[in-house]
Structures are given as C-alpha cells and as structure tokens.
C-alpha cells in the first residue's frame, strides 16, 4: 500500500475513528492523541493487512486498542482527584449522558452498530467476540438506554 492510498483510506475513516475514540475516551485532547497514534500504528503495520477491503475494520480495531491502552495508562498514573474534566458532550445532552453511563462493553457495540452502520458480524470481528455476545450486549445496552431515557 503506497502513501497516497493509505492517506486516502485514513481520511475516509477519520469521522468513524473519531466517534469510536470519543466513545471510549470522552475527551477531545485524548481523542486527538489516539487518532494520531492509530494512524501511526496503522502505517507501521500496513503490511499485516492482508485484504485492503478490510481496512476500515482493521483501523477501527487498532483505534480501540490504542484507546484502551491510553485508559490503562491513565488509571495507573492519575488519582480520581487529578483526573481532567471531560470535554463538553455532543448536542443531545440527555442521550449523551445516558450513553456515557453505559459500561464500555455495552456502549461500544451499540455505537458501532448505530453510528458506524456495522453489522453484527463486522462488530464481532472488530471486538473479537462471538456474534451472539454482540447481539446480547446491544440488546442490553438498548434496554438500559430505554430505562434511563424514560424518566
């Protein structure tokens, strides 16, 4: 894969990768760092991608791993008192707060399905989970969101 095609593919996925990183990190500064690290790792390991048709799924997986690594580092370095304040949520505050209240294992599959339009099969490949687990997590996430938003 040459530089121009790589840049084009990353640009095409930029909004999607941003949403994935925001779902996990919830902080604009961390999201920007995660996106840069994702692009760097994808470029360094571009030879590992066997089929260019799966670039989006592959880059999303890299982004998830980068974000989770950042969370691990943050937990080991900062106490709760030292943690930075989260950036302003997206416009629909009630939905945003309800989504942020979901645990990541429920929030991420739901976001991948509705924000990114991924199928259960694609989500299961990205998250390395059985398809039935993905279906169950999305169903539980919807149920919790309905409960939160009914009030």
């Amino acid at each position: 894969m040459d530089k121009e095609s790589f840049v084009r593919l990353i640009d095409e996925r930029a909004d999607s990768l941003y949403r994935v990183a925001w779902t996990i990190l919830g902080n604009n500064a961390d999201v920007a760092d995660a996106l840069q690290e994702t692009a760097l790792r994808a470029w360094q390991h571009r030879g590992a991608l066997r089929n260019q048709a799966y670039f989006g799924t592959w880059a999303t997986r890299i982004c998830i791993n980068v974000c989770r690594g950042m969370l691990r580092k943050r937990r080991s370095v900062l106490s709760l008192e030292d943690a930075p304040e989260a950036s302003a949520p997206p416009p629909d505050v009630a939905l945003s707060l309800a989504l942020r209240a979901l645990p990541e294992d429920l929030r991420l599959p739901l976001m991948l399905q509705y924000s990114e339009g991924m199928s259960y099969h694609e989500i299961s490949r990205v998250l390395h989970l059985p398809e039935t687990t993905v279906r169950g997590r999305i169903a539980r996430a919807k149920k919790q969101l309905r409960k939160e938003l009914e009030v």
Side-chain angles (χ1 to χ4, degrees):
M1 176 181 315
D2 66 349
K3 186 177 179 179
E4 291 78 26
S5 62
F6 178 82
V7 170
R8 181 181 46 78
L9 289 170
I10 283 289
D11 282 345
E12 289 172 1
R13 299 294 301 171
D15 290 342
S16 172
L17 294 173
Y18 178 87
R19 287 187 296 268
V20 168
W22 174 263
T23 298
I24 297 170
L25 299 171
N27 178 309
N28 282 328
D30 289 343
V31 168
D33 290 342
L35 294 178
Q36 287 180 348
E37 182 66 22
T38 297
L40 178 64
R41 286 189 192 178
W43 175 254
Q44 290 172 337
H45 300 287
R46 67 191 179 278
L49 180 62
R50 293 186 187 111
N51 186 344
Q52 197 167 342
Y54 296 115
F55 182 85
T57 303
W58 179 72
T60 301
R61 184 73 230 163
I62 291 172
C63 183
I64 290 168
N65 289 337
V66 166
C67 292
R68 287 182 175 164
M70 290 175 72
L71 287 177
R72 279 192 300 276
K73 286 180 186 176
R74 184 189 307 165
R75 283 187 206 125
S76 66
V77 174
L78 296 175
S79 69
L80 288 177
E81 294 82 26
D82 297 333
E85 291 295 319
S87 299
D92 187 53
V93 177
L95 180 59
S96 295
L97 292 175
L99 282 170
R100 294 298 301 162
L102 289 175
E104 181 186 327
D105 65 324
L106 300 180
R107 183 176 64 240
L108 190 56
L110 184 71
M111 190 278 310
L112 290 173
Q113 183 183 42
Y114 287 103
S115 247
E116 305 310 315
M118 289 186 174
S119 67
Y120 292 121
H121 179 72
E122 291 170 324
I123 296 168
S124 71
R125 283 193 16 233
V126 168
L127 298 179
H128 301 291
L129 294 170
E131 198 170 318
T132 54
T133 302
V134 170
R135 288 177 187 271
R137 287 184 180 182
I138 289 172
R140 283 198 320 270
K142 288 180 190 178
K143 184 177 180 181
Q144 283 187 13
L145 279 177
R146 273 192 296 272
K147 187 177 177 181
E148 286 288 323
L149 296 174
E150 280 179 356
V151 178

